Amino acid sequence: MTKNSYQKSSQQTQEEALKIARGTQRPAQTKEQTRLIAQGIQKGIDLYKKQQKEKARDLNRKLKKISNQKAQSIEPDDHEIQERIVYRQHWLPWLLLLLTWLGVGIYFLV
């Protein structure tokens, strides 16, 4: 199966190309020349639309690929890392508390 690379232009594109061709028409220009210019403009518009569609498809593919990669990289990280927080206190307050209790104990015993 062969694929035709030429697609029929929309009516809007044809009208737009004819409008542009008439806008740039020279005084001694024939209708045939204007029609040929309009066809050239129409082909240019069609080529531009085709390029834009291809760019959009490429961008969508890249975005889809990146989102798939992100989704795959996120899946293994679902297991949260359990952190164990250990509060370490300085020994000086405990020593002072012990000495205070010893001092109070000795004071009441004596």
Side-chain angles (χ1 to χ4, degrees), residues 26-72:
R26 301 280 185 219
Q29 189 172 317
T30 64
K31 288 184 179 181
E32 181 64 24
Q33 290 172 332
T34 304
R35 188 182 61 79
L36 290 173
I37 291 171
Q39 283 179 350
I41 293 171
Q42 181 181 338
K43 285 182 183 179
I45 292 171
D46 289 339
L47 180 64
Y48 175 78
K49 286 181 179 179
K50 184 178 176 182
Q51 288 172 346
Q52 293 304 312
K53 286 180 184 178
E54 190 168 328
K55 284 182 184 178
R57 280 194 305 271
D58 288 341
L59 182 61
N60 284 339
R61 282 188 207 124
K62 288 178 183 177
L63 289 174
K64 195 173 189 180
K65 190 175 185 179
I66 289 172
S67 66
N68 285 341
Q69 287 176 352
K70 282 185 179 179
Q72 289 175 356

